[in-house]
Amino acid sequence: MNRVWLERVFIWLPCLVVLGAIGLSGCRLEAAQLEPLRVADNGRFFVTLSGRPLFWLADTAWQLIHDLDQQEIRRYFADRQHKGFTVIQTVVLVELRSDKPNAFGHFPIEPRRPDRPIVKQGPDNDYWDDVERVLRLAEEHGLYVGLLPTWGKAVTSNWQNGLVDGFFNVENAEAYGRFIGDRFKSHSNIVWILGGDRAAPTDEARAIWRAMARGIAIGVSGKEDYSKVLMTYHTSGPGSTAWFMNNERWLDFHGLQSGHGRWALNWIMVEHAYSMKPTVPVVDLETTYPDFRHGRPPTVATDDDARRAAYWAVFAGAAGHTYGHHSIWQMHSPKYPGVANPKKYWYEALDAPSARQMGYLRKLIESRPFLTQRPDLSLLAFEQTTPWEMCLALRGEGYALVYTPTGRTLEIQMNKLPAGKVHASWFDPRTGKTTDIGQYETKGRQTFDPPGQEQLGNDWVLILEQSQGAAGK
């Protein structure tokens, strides 16, 4: 039983004692407050303030705040909590339908004036109350929120060039940042994500985002103290903050967008950001979307493609991964027209196989001391020449994991592992099931042949765990 559910049990106990006297309606479940997140001491992962590790497993729900009513929000959060997600990424000033009121009939700001938020007295009376509802309901479901203050089009219309032509400038960006930082400073489940699908290669664009970050920090703590907030930037794809925002004072971890098509080689981008100094965590914040038609010639991304992107990211050294589905990011429903021909409504896409399989990845990584893990391609005793069939390896305290996206035969340098024996098994990313193989000496090279035929979609993880009594190396 995880910490959130234990806390909820204890919250309910006093109510259960008197349930017969007052009835069920006399007691309301109050969610325990999530601890704020920070970067782990090794600079590679996320932990809570008390040091509990958190695996970043996010979903892109960009239009959630604007498009969904309370019942729909609850449905979405309950599903994502059940499937093992830990973070939901969404936007305050949205990309789509920003000229129309949200599901509660509210607008966030006066037209093109982020320094003039529309605020009304009383609860549930304005857009900012609606944002607060999302934060509160997320916390009730044990979820952190990767909150984008605005979609990037409000700063620059072009995805890549960074030429400022939106309604944000340095002055109103800081004013807006101060407002939202102060407005939501009591919510400990926020991770601030600036940007919004736009690169910032120009000094002018970076100055605006820097001002917004400064404003948020001041709004949260009363001064420019970035230790009180956790921040990153969501760039366009393919792109990475390591390309144009390395060593910003406010940037706590590298965010990249690898792209939505079948062949988003995000392992290359993660490897690059992982190697940069200073050392910070890396997360692919937007990648392959199942059912999205993309590329030249165009192809439709599959659940297999989304799953491969997740394993590639994590096995290249990322602190977790952000999943997304073409129908869910835009909250496509009968109420709203679809963008780029989504095949399903958002609530139908919740049960995509790849969404469920993201939870299997989290379970695999969290089942071992993952704060100790690091990429280690030296474990692989074979040459690789095809980027879209890349095998990757991780090693941590007492274990090693090797991922193959095609089920190819793996030849492992066993002498790279601690002296003694290891127990080997296969982990199936499609089902989350593990099959034992046996014990092996950590000497020379050893061949491991995964089940099934070698082909894309037949992905497997080889697990090598140090046997009891093995000596350290």
Side-chain angles (χ1 to χ4, degrees), residues 118-177:
I118 300 173
V119 179
K120 299 179 181 179
Q121 292 297 316
D124 302 325
N125 280 340
D126 59 42
Y127 194 95
W128 307 102
D129 294 329
D130 303 334
V131 177
E132 184 135 29
R133 179 189 296 108
V134 168
L135 296 170
R136 184 180 67 251
L137 291 176
E139 189 165 46
E140 287 181 9
H141 290 85
L143 295 165
Y144 290 88
V145 177
L147 191 63
L148 281 71
T150 181
W151 201 247
K153 71 173 186 178
V155 174
T156 177
S157 61
N158 184 276
W159 280 283
Q160 295 284 1
N161 65 22
L163 298 180
V164 173
D165 56 4
F167 56 74
F168 271 103
N169 54 49
V170 169
E171 290 74 24
N172 64 24
E174 180 169 333
Y176 177 66

Side-chain angles (χ1 to χ4, degrees), residues 90-277:
T90 191
V91 189
V92 177
L93 306 183
V94 292
E95 175 189 20
L96 307 176
R97 299 177 279 279
S98 59
D99 60 337
K100 296 178 174 60
N102 71 352
F104 300 93
H106 300 143
F107 283 100
I109 59 174
E110 294 181 13
R112 301 180 63 84
R113 291 299 303 265
D115 55 338
R116 292 186 181 177
I118 300 173
V119 179
K120 299 179 181 179
Q121 292 297 316
D124 302 325
N125 280 340
D126 59 42
Y127 194 95
W128 307 102
D129 294 329
D130 303 334
V131 177
E132 184 135 29
R133 179 189 296 108
V134 168
L135 296 170
R136 184 180 67 251
L137 291 176
E139 189 165 46
E140 287 181 9
H141 290 85
L143 295 165
Y144 290 88
V145 177
L147 191 63
L148 281 71
T150 181
W151 201 247
K153 71 173 186 178
V155 174
T156 177
S157 61
N158 184 276
W159 280 283
Q160 295 284 1
N161 65 22
L163 298 180
V164 173
D165 56 4
F167 56 74
F168 271 103
N169 54 49
V170 169
E171 290 74 24
N172 64 24
E174 180 169 333
Y176 177 66
R178 286 180 183 233
F179 168 76
I180 58 175
D182 179 67
R183 181 67 176 78
F184 304 123
K185 64 185 177 183
S186 65
H187 292 274
S188 59
N189 62 330
I190 297 178
V191 178
W192 296 98
I193 304 177
L194 278 61
D197 202 25
R198 294 297 186 273
T202 64
D203 291 340
E204 188 179 10
R206 283 194 297 273
I208 291 173
W209 296 115
R210 195 177 293 130
M212 192 179 297
R214 181 170 59 250
I216 292 170
I218 294 171
V220 168
S221 65
K223 57 183 178 180
E224 191 176 356
D225 183 359
Y226 297 111
S227 70
K228 304 301 182 183
V229 289
L230 187 66
M231 289 187 178
T232 191
Y233 185 93
H234 171 243
T235 184
S236 56
S240 169
T241 55
W243 298 358
F244 54 82
M245 279 191 173
N246 199 53
N247 209 26
E248 285 281 337
R249 287 179 57 205
W250 55 270
L251 192 82
D252 295 299
F253 63 101
H254 280 309
L256 57 93
Q257 180 180 168
S258 57
H260 305 315
R262 294 201 66 196
W263 309 113
L265 301 177
N266 61 349
W267 64 268
I268 298 175
M269 301 175 69
V270 172
E271 279 190 349
H272 171 259
Y274 188 91
S275 70
M276 297 293 286
K277 300 296 181 185

